[in-house]
Every structure is written in C-alpha cells, then in structure tokens.
Amino acid sequence: MPVWGVQRGNEVHMLVVKKFGGTSVANKERIFNVAKRCMEDYKKGNQVVVVLSAMGKQTDVLLDMARDINPKAPRRELDMLLTTGEQTSVALMAMAMDSLGVPAVSLNAFQATMHTTEDYGNARLKRIDTGRIRFELDSRRIVIITGFQGINKHDDYTTLGRGGSDTTAVALAAALHADSCEIYTDVDGVFTADPRIVPNARKLPEITYDEMLELASLGAGVLHNRSVEMAKKYGVQLVVRSSLNTSEGTVVKEESKMEKMLVSGVAADKNVAQFAVEGLENKPGVAFKLFQHLANHNINVDMILQSVEHDGTQDIAFTVTRDAVDEALDTLERHGETSLKCEKITVARDVSKISIVGAGMMSNAGVAAKMFEALYDAGVNIRQISTSEIRVTVLIDEKYTDVAAQAVHDAFSL
Ligand code: ADP
Ligand code: ASP
Ligand code: MG
C-alpha cells in the first residue's frame, strides 16, 4: 500500500465533494477513471467525499423491471428498488479504490443518515448527521455516498426525484462546509442550450444561481433544480465539468462578474402535457375548485392560461408533467360534471416547452417579440405563453422541439 494511503496526521488542505453521474460510472473503465480522479485530490491531503449515481441507465432499467411486474407499483417499493442502483455503484467504486490501494468506504443513505421528508419518489432532504462521515474522513478514508436516496421517519428508503444525486452532493457540501462542490458529468459544463439538441451551443464560463435555477426547472437536465435551489440557499458555489477531460467547466454562483446577458440560455422540456378545460362557469371560485382538486392529489400545475369570457363561459388551459396526466384526467373527469360543471376536458400529450432565460431580460422590452419572430420564421406555432422577470416560455408541438430550440438559440446569437 502506498505510504500516503495509510499515513495519519497528513496536513489536510480542503474538504471536497465530487459528484459523478451515471455515464461517468457506466462501466469498469469509467469507474477506474473516477477512482483515479478522486485519488489525485486525496493524495494532495484533501478530505474527499464522492457522491455517485447509478451506473449508466440502471435507474431506467430498474423502472422498466418494476413496470413489467406491476404498472402501478407502490411508491415505497419503487424506492426500495431504485436505491439499489446507487448502492451498486458506491460499493463497486470502493472496491476499485481498494484495488488501487486507497482507503475508501461506501455509505448508503442509512449509514450517511440522509434524513428526508416522507414522500416516496420525490422526497426532500431535511437533515444530515455528519458524525459517521466526519469519522471516516478523519480516518483518512475517501467516503463514497449513494446519491439520490434518503431515509424517512418510518426508516424507509426514499428517492429525491430523477436526477437527484446532484442535490445529495450539494446537501453534503453544505452540511460539511466543504471547500468545493464539483458536479462531474458527460458534457463540459453548462451550455447555452443542450449541446445534444443544439450542436453549436456554447459552454458558459459562469452562470448565476437564479439563471441556472430557471434553466434547470425548465428542462436543462444538467443539474437537478433542487440542487441549485439548495446551493443558492446555503451559498455553495458549484462547478459543473466533464469527468472525461480536464477542461474548466462552468461556475454556478450568486453574482456573475460578466455583464448581464440578455439571454444566457435556451431550455427544452418534453416532459409536459397540456390540459384544456372548456365551458367553465364565469364566476368566483371556479379556478380555485379546479386547481384544488389537482392539489389534493399532489399534482403540480405549471403554465396556466384563462380565456376571456365567451357565451357566458370561460376556458382554462394548464400544463402538468406527463407522469401526472392519468391521475389529473381521472380527477378532473370525476369532478367535471358535478363540482366543476365544465363542458369538455381535452389533453395534448405531444407538446413541449421551449424557454429563454437571462438576467438582462428584465430591462429589455423586445426579447419576447424576438423569440416569437424566430419561431414564426421556423414555422412553429405557439400554443401557450408564460413569462417571468428573467424568462419567456412557450408551449409548442413536441415534433418541433429541436427545430424551435435551434431557431431561438440562433436568433439571440448565443
Ligand atoms: P449525469 O448523469 O452526469 O447527472 P445528466 O444526463 O443528468 O448527467 O445531465 C447531463 C446532460 O444534460 C447532458 O448530457 C446534456 O444532454 C443535458 N443538458 C441539457 N441542457 C443542458 C445545458 N444547458 N448544458 C449542458 N447540458 C445540458
Ligand atoms: N440515478 C438517478 C436517476 O437516474 C439519480 C441521478 O442520476 O441523479 O435519476
Ligand atoms: Mg443528472
């Protein structure tokens, strides 16, 4: 065993949290690549916490297995199953490091005490008791922790929502007061658009929490939106970078030194469906009832559009994520004739959202018009629009997603 691996009393320079996503640990070669990158930090005397996702597409594989057995599998059991993905990758990583002569220990959510809310499938991290992790770090071990999972008050496993390992990493960085939190992935950083959809997208050297939060919430899957929310709340500066090369990546932080970009990025989201509830009475309490029924089933509603009155009635359109469509439809149909008194409910599942985000947008009038012009030139019809201070979102037909993202990206010369 190399002498640096067992020495105690090494001068400890920093505590670093390094998170690696599924593609970065997809096979033996990649696992050893990650192990070696973590060893470099360790050899410098740093304390190293590694957060891993499940290998490759293992989470999807597990979900398919579950659906095959029971399409309506209980959420508790789904989480029990999904957490095995991350448990596999941390154990294999610890084995890889051991074979390279580096002391390492893998911990799951129980061992690392990642306490969450009750909700299976979409739990929020509440508290981490860092005693065990500190003990392992002080014993000069690399600590490898399962991303994406937690435990709730029933001592059951929970998961944090797809892509949730980023949030595990940020929570650990905050709880341990880490000196750095690096998110390693399969692209070189945060780009002006998903580089897989817009090939000429450009890597951003830095981006503010607010812009990143909007982009992540609007479909830029490079970071889990709650990880950005948490990073902002606890002032954890993030670096998003590639696990396959040493390029610098993107810094996500409170204030950007750079001049505020009019538009800093374009996001596309296909996980969306549009509901139209037509012929509602035009009187107080109608919108309340409609959305209360959905809220009672924990269904999140996103873009909302209410029409002006016509023939004494009004229509309301809104969007939900696709996995919520069946439950939303079921709920609305049950209440459609009785409490809602609507004439018709329709659902479009083949829609997507395209958004532009930029802190400089606040003070500039022509931004939305420029986006709509680009879509018009590309022959893309807009079904619904919503805006905030730093973003404009349009709902379009899914088949135009890539064309629209490219057209909007080009229009702003990003
Ligand atoms: P990981 O498994 O490492 O967590 P993800 O698949 O969750 O990786 O996130 C990385 C992916 O995010 C990239 O492969 C890319 O296709 C996608 N992506 C979407 N929007 C962006 C963006 N603006 N910048 C960079 N990548 C993006
Ligand atoms: N393995 C989980 C997923 O695929 C969590 C993650 O990758 O961040 O969603
Ligand atoms: Mg991810």
Side-chain angles (χ1 to χ4, degrees), residues 19 21-22 53-54 56 59-60 86 147-148 161-166:
K19 179 259 167 178
S53 295
T59 307
D60 293 320
E86 271 66 17
F148 176 56
R162 296 305 305 268
S165 298
D166 301 328

Side-chain angles (χ1 to χ4, degrees), residues 19-22 52-60 63 82 85-86 147-149 161-168 224:
K19 179 259 167 178
F20 295 86
L52 298 183
S53 295
M55 293 168 68
K57 300 234 169 292
Q58 183 61 14
T59 307
D60 293 320
L63 278 172
L82 293 187
E86 271 66 17
F148 176 56
Q149 59 180 248
R162 296 305 305 268
S165 298
D166 301 328
T167 304
T168 309
H224 192 227

